[in-house]
Amino acid sequence: MTVPSSHLLILAAILFSIGVAGFFLRRNVIVVLMCIELMLNAANLSFLAASRMHSLDTPGGRIDLQGPIFAIFVIVVAAVEAAVGLALVIALYRRKQTVSLDDVVDLKD
Amino acid sequence: MSAWLHLFTLELAVVAIALLVLLWDAFAPAAGRAVGWTTALLLGGVFAASFFVDGRGTVPHGVFVRDEWVVFHERLFLAAGILGVLGSIDWLATRTPKRQAEYYALLLFSLAGMMLLAGARDWILLVTCFELMSMPLYVLCAYGKQDGPASEPKLAAEAGLKLFITGAASSGLTLFGLALVVGMTGTTHVGGIGANPAPLTIVGMLFVLAGFGFKVGAVPFHMWVPDTYQGAPTPFVAFLSVAPKAAGLATLAIVLLGGWSADSSVWLPVLLVLAGASMVVGNLFALPQTDARRLLGFSGVAQIGYALLALGAMSRGGLAMTLFFVATYVFTNLGVFFVLHAAAEEGGGHSLARIAGLSRRSPWLGGALLVFLLSLAGIPFVAGFWAKLFVFMEAWNAGLVGLVVLGVALAVIGLYYYLTVARSTYMADGDRTTPVPTGFALRAAILVCLIFVVGLGLWPRPLVEAADRAAAGIVSGR
């Protein structure tokens, strides 16, 4: 018995929703970064699920590679984002001794 | 060698300059202005070369197309890059003399990403170039001054973090949307959506549209714009406020007009709502601002609204006028920020009270600021006047009468706050009387911006024609 690809797509949508909800609700910058990673990984999962769907539908056994290749690029983007994001968090912590978004309110009208 | 590598000559040259700057700093660190001037001159050479290198063609599978559209954008981004470097030289050499090379290298990498972006016709390349453009900007935004007033590094870190968090979240939005689009259509080509897409494809494209909306700073995705402009180093904000915006608009044009033109009834209302909301919110929120950079942040949101309005005309002429509008905006906004930077470098920050009496102390700086503000407001006969006029004409011809009337009414409000700033530089008395000290590079950058703004105001035809040829690369016909 195999898992239908549509279930994977639904799982990806749920993961993405958790990421978006966490992005808006959590106040710790590190957790917000984790939520962004969750959104990117939801994208990866749907890329792979869609690719699996296309490959299973094709009777000749031709494997759809666009999804996996795109997912590799998304992983690269996620890695760069983690590096830059954590560097910015460290810069912020050194200057303000906080990683809470509630304390990052110096720029305002 | 492959037969298409010559298409990337200019981009490779920019990357080579970036690597050269990094290696120079690693092996023979120079503390003066040498690195900055070398970068600016080499970039100038690349800009000159863009008129001689005839690399038009298509990469196999149509992943990258180099045509008039790309050439126009390459020159625009290179011009913004040269001016961005020129405007930063004095600031970097005095504030962070030991950390100059990274700044230029990051700016150049971002520039390479923008230049590639204009020609990308494949989702993977498009997204990768977009990230190549965005990532260095996050770092540059937090490029703190080490010996400025104590609050400045803190503000820069906060500005960088805010830009990063919104930028990264919008990347997530774009990528998840693309997962749906690519998954449904089965192709990574931008033009692969076709007519009558599946509902899930439309949902995915709306995610993509929202993601790019964040990057151009259109309402309701504009929250980061004023904060980032206020906190980040001013010479960098000058670059950030123009080049990535132009790149984001180019991306929207490629995706909407180039790739998804068959189903405009789906996205056109969304685009027009973004345009209208940006004009309204940008202009109204700019009114009460007391910080010059926050005011320009909201003014930038409003200007993006005008550009989106011309994009919404969905014609070759409309797209051409979007390009013309963006090109004039590049020179005008760079100029405004450079003058503000010159006035603020003296100490005292960027509040509007700081530039009171500027024209009495430094008539040239004050005069330049006046010209730039008139151009932003759209007064004849500087570049911004033609830009606004052409945008409204194209939108009117496309039947967007209501939005044009709204835009003209809001432009009058814009006139009020731009001229309030100009009035205080001429009429009000400042607390100092000595001329504002400016470095040679900064003066040169302001002068170049001034020449372009005045020159395009008197003689806009060459740029209009170039923009029209460029637009033909995306929208064929009339």
Side-chain angles (χ1 to χ4, degrees):
Chain A
M1 184 191 127
T2 53
V3 181
S5 299
S6 59
H7 288 196
L8 294 175
L9 282 173
I10 292 168
L11 174 65
I14 293 172
L15 278 178
F16 186 77
S17 312
I18 295 174
V20 172
F23 175 77
F24 284 111
L25 297 177
R26 300 305 293 262
R27 307 314 298 166
N28 186 311
V29 180
I30 309 263
V31 180
V32 169
L33 286 185
M34 285 156 65
C35 291
I36 293 172
E37 295 295 314
L38 204 56
M39 287 158 75
L40 291 174
N41 283 317
N44 276 342
L45 186 58
S46 20
F47 272 124
L48 296 178
S51 163
R52 179 175 184 263
M53 203 164 65
H54 285 302
S55 304
L56 290 181
D57 287 349
T58 324
R62 189 183 147 274
I63 294 173
D64 178 85
L65 279 178
Q66 274 145 356
I69 290 173
F70 214 136
I72 291 172
F73 278 89
V74 176
I75 291 170
V76 173
V77 168
V80 178
E81 258 173 19
V84 171
L86 290 174
L88 281 171
V89 172
I90 291 173
L92 184 81
Y93 186 77
R94 280 192 184 157
R95 292 167 190 182
K96 289 177 70 102
Q97 278 75 47
T98 178
V99 288
S100 168
L101 283 178
D102 288 329
D103 298 329
V104 189
V105 286
D106 287 337
L107 296 170
K108 55 179 180 289
D109 294 330
Chain B
M1 287 300 286
S2 52
W4 45 265
L5 203 58
H6 67 280
L7 296 180
F8 299 102
T9 313
L10 300 178
E11 286 81 2
L12 287 173
V14 170
V15 174
I17 299 173
L19 295 178
L20 176 82
V21 167
L22 279 180
L23 287 175
W24 183 357
D25 190 59
F27 289 106
R33 291 168 165 78
V35 181
W37 277 109
T38 312
T39 311
L41 289 177
L42 287 174
L43 269 185
V46 177
F47 183 79
S50 75
F51 289 91
F52 298 104
V53 178
D54 182 39
R56 287 179 177 72
T58 305
V59 167
H61 307 296
V63 170
F64 183 90
V65 179
R66 194 165 189 281
D67 51 14
E68 287 291 341
W69 168 263
V70 180
V71 172
F72 182 91
H73 276 98
E74 278 173 347
R75 285 179 193 150
L76 185 62
F77 295 143
L78 279 170
I82 294 167
L83 290 170
V85 169
L86 271 182
S88 310
I89 288 178
D90 295 316
W91 170 72
L92 275 176
T94 50
R95 292 304 186 86
T96 56
K98 292 195 174 129
R99 291 172 54 222
Q100 295 190 56
E102 307 139 59
Y103 182 93
Y104 297 122
L106 285 168
L107 198 143
L108 290 171
F109 285 133
S110 179
L111 194 60
M114 289 171 202
M115 289 164 72
L116 284 170
L117 189 65
R121 296 291 181 276
D122 184 276
W123 288 119
I124 300 182
L125 185 63
L126 197 75
V127 168
T128 316
C129 295
F130 214 92
E131 296 302 323
L132 176 59
M133 167 185 94
S134 307
M135 291 297 171
L137 299 179
Y138 305 146
V139 184
L140 287 174
C141 202
Y143 209 87
K145 304 163 188 170
Q146 287 171 334
D147 58 351
S151 67
E152 281 186 3
K154 282 186 193 173
L155 293 184
E158 180 179 337
L161 195 72
K162 281 187 172 165
L163 176 63
F164 169 76
I165 285 183
T166 45
S170 70
S171 297
L173 212 57
T174 305
L175 287 167
F176 187 73
L178 279 183
L180 297 179
V181 173
V182 173
M184 285 297 126
T185 58
T187 171
T188 56
H189 196 259
V190 172
I193 305 164
N196 301 320
L200 214 48
T201 312
I202 294 178
V203 172
M205 282 309 291
L206 292 180
F207 273 58
V208 174
L209 197 56
F212 289 141
F214 264 110
K215 295 290 166 81
V216 294
V219 174
F221 313 113
H222 67 290
M223 306 80 69
W224 61 272
V225 178
D227 284 353
T228 303
Y229 283 16
Q230 189 187 357
T234 317
F236 167 67
V237 174
F239 181 74
L240 176 75
S241 71
V242 293
K245 297 286 175 70
L249 282 170
T251 315
L252 280 177
I254 293 169
V255 171
L256 295 179
L257 295 176
W260 203 17
S261 54
D263 249 350
S264 61
S265 61
V266 178
W267 55 261
L268 188 61
V270 181
L271 188 73
L272 293 180
V273 166
L274 289 185
S278 302
M279 290 191 294
V280 172
V281 172
N283 278 313
L284 293 185
F285 277 63
L287 280 173
Q289 300 302 329
T290 53
D291 184 286
R293 291 185 295 179
R294 266 190 105 75
L295 188 148
L296 283 173
F298 282 110
S299 121
V301 172
Q303 305 276 354
I304 282 294
Y306 297 128
L308 289 177
L309 180 60
L311 207 59
M314 291 206 309
S315 60
R316 177 177 159 183
L319 183 58
M321 287 315 114
T322 310
L323 293 183
F324 181 77
F325 185 91
V326 168
T328 58
Y329 179 65
V330 165
F331 294 109
T332 312
N333 227 35
L334 278 171
V336 173
F337 270 110
F338 286 153
V339 175
L340 288 177
H341 172 59
E345 259 314 75
E346 205 184 8
H350 294 80
S351 72
L352 285 178
R354 189 72 211 76
I355 52 173
L358 181 71
S359 63
R360 296 194 195 159
R361 301 169 55 200
S362 303
W364 278 100
L365 275 184
L369 184 62
L370 178 67
V371 170
F372 296 139
L373 287 170
L374 290 180
S375 177
L376 280 178
I379 302 286
F381 288 89
V382 276
F385 166 69
W386 300 112
K388 273 215 179 60
L389 181 69
F390 292 154
V391 160
F392 287 145
M393 273 167 58
E394 287 295 340
W396 183 278
N397 289 340
L400 308 172
V401 178
L403 276 174
V404 170
V405 173
L406 180 71
V408 172
L410 288 166
V412 176
I413 295 179
L415 192 63
Y416 171 75
Y417 61 80
Y418 290 129
L419 291 189
T420 307
V421 179
R423 193 180 66 93
S424 80
T425 69
Y426 272 88
M427 304 298 179
D429 282 316
D431 47 355
R432 299 181 208 195
T433 49
T434 50
V436 177
T438 43
F440 175 68
L442 189 60
R443 279 207 299 270
I446 295 173
L447 183 66
V448 173
C449 292
L450 193 61
I451 289 172
F452 271 98
V453 170
V454 174
L456 288 173
L458 297 175
W459 198 37
R461 181 173 286 274
L463 187 61
V464 170
E465 283 172 354
D468 194 53
R469 281 198 304 276
I474 297 291
V475 183
S476 50
R478 215 14 265 174

